[in-house]
Amino acid sequence: MALSWFCVRVLCRRGPGRWGPLCRVMGRVLTSSAVARGHCEALVYHKHGDPLRVIRLETLKLPQLGDSDIRAQMLAAPINPSDMNIVQGTWRMEAVGNMNRFSKVSNNLPLLCAATLGVNTCTAYRMLCDFETLKPGDSVIQNAANSGVGQAAIQIAKAMGLKTINVVRDRPNLQQLTDSMKSMGADYIITEEALRKPDMEELFKEVPRPLLALNGVGGKSATEILRHLMKGGTIVTYGGMAKQPVIVPVSALIFNNVKVRGFWMTQWKRDHGHDLVQEMISVLCDFIQAGKLRAPVCTKVKFQDYRTALKAATTPFTSSKQILIM
C-alpha cells in the first residue's frame, strides 16, 4: 500500500496493556471526536488503468480495532513511481493495523523527511550497503539521479564518504537542476548524452571507476552506466521508468564479470522483519537529525487536490516529489 508509515498519529489502542486514550507518535493531539468518527477519506481504485482516470476520492469505513491494533492518522504521503506504474495501493487519511507493522520516528523529525523516508530513502540506503563493500573514496554511478531515490543516494553516499556520478536527462533548466543537486552533495552531474561520449574517460582520471551502479530507468541508460563499471562491479535495478528491458552486453559479463542484480524494498522488508526495518529507520533518522540527509525536493498538495498531484507526478522532467498533505 502507498501509505507512509512514518507520518502518523496514533489515535487509540485497545487490548491488554493499553497505553491510555491516546499515544502520540507524530503530530498534534487529536480530539475525542476524531477518534470516534470511524470513517476516513481515501484514494482508491476499482480497476487498473491510468491513475488520473481510475483513482477516486472516497469515504471508507475503518475496521474495528483488534487486541493488537492501532488506529493511525496519516499526515503526509508521497506519490512514488511504483504507485503510478501499477496502481498497487491507496493513499488514505487513516488506517488500522497491527502495531508491529508500524515503525516509530521522533516527533521532531521534519514532516517531509518522515513522509519520504519509508520507500525512496530506504531503497537508496539498502542498495548502497548491501551489494558491494564500499569504502570512503569509492565511487557510485546512478541514472535517474534527480529522482527521490537518486537524491537520497547522493546524500547518503556523501555521509559514507563516497563519490557520486549522477546521470540526468538533458532539459531546459539543467543548470538549475545541477545547482540543486550539488547543494545536496552530488560530485559529478552529467547528461545521458554525455555519458555515451569518449570524454567520460577524462572523468575517471579524477575519480575511480564505480564499483556500484544504481539503475532506475532501464533501456539504453542502464546499458550505458553498466559500461562504466570497474571489473567485478554490480549494477542494481530498482525501477524501470523507461519501460524498456535492461540489456547487458555479453562482453560485460565475460570480460568484466559484471554482476546484475535487482532490488525491491517491499520484499526486503518482508524478508528481514520489523526489528531490522526499525534499525534501518533509526540510522536514517540519525542522518536527518545530524543534517546529513534532507527530504527530496517536494511539492505539497492538499489531499483533496490529488488530481493535481497525480498529473504532476506523470509529467516528464518533474524533479519534485508530490506529497499529499492530509
Side-chain angles (χ1 to χ4, degrees), residues 1 26 29 43 48 67 135 138 164 168 175 182 190 202 207 232 235 246 248 250 258 279 284 315 320:
M1 65 176 54
M26 186 174 186
V29 176
L43 299 182
H48 293 287
D67 287 344
K135 61 183 185 300
D138 286 345
T164 55
V168 298
Q175 187 58 54
K182 282 189 175 293
I190 59 177
E202 293 299 314
V207 65
I235 181 169
V246 175
V248 181
V250 172
V258 167
E279 180 181 303
L284 293 171
T315 300
S320 184

Side-chain angles (χ1 to χ4, degrees), residues 201-325:
E201 294 304 315
E202 293 299 314
L203 185 150
F204 295 120
K205 294 178 181 178
E206 301 177 17
V207 65
R209 283 189 178 275
L211 189 59
L212 179 67
L214 309 181
N215 168 45
V217 179
K220 292 181 180 179
S221 179
T223 304
E224 291 301 328
I225 63 172
L226 180 151
R227 291 183 190 276
H228 294 295
L229 282 173
M230 69 165 58
K231 288 186 177 181
T234 299
I235 181 169
V236 183
T237 293
Y238 66 92
M241 288 188 283
K243 298 182 181 179
Q244 296 174 353
V246 175
I247 299 175
V248 181
V250 172
S251 60
L253 297 174
I254 295 177
F255 302 117
N256 286 344
N257 195 29
V258 167
K259 300 182 285 292
V260 181
R261 302 289 300 277
F263 183 77
W264 184 30
M265 191 67 237
T266 300
Q267 189 62 51
W268 188 93
K269 290 178 179 178
R270 291 172 182 167
D271 292 343
H272 291 82
H274 182 268
D275 289 346
L276 286 179
V277 171
Q278 185 64 59
E279 180 181 303
M280 171 179 59
I281 295 301
S282 296
V283 170
L284 293 171
C285 286
D286 288 345
F287 281 160
I288 293 169
Q289 292 176 325
K292 296 179 180 179
L293 179 62
R294 68 192 194 208
V297 177
C298 294
T299 299
K300 295 189 287 187
V301 181
K302 290 182 179 179
F303 189 69
Q304 290 75 13
D305 295 334
Y306 67 95
R307 289 185 178 277
T308 299
L310 292 175
K311 184 176 181 180
T314 56
T315 300
F317 302 114
T318 301
S319 300
S320 184
K321 174 74 67 175
Q322 303 299 303
I323 305 291
L324 296 171
I325 301 299

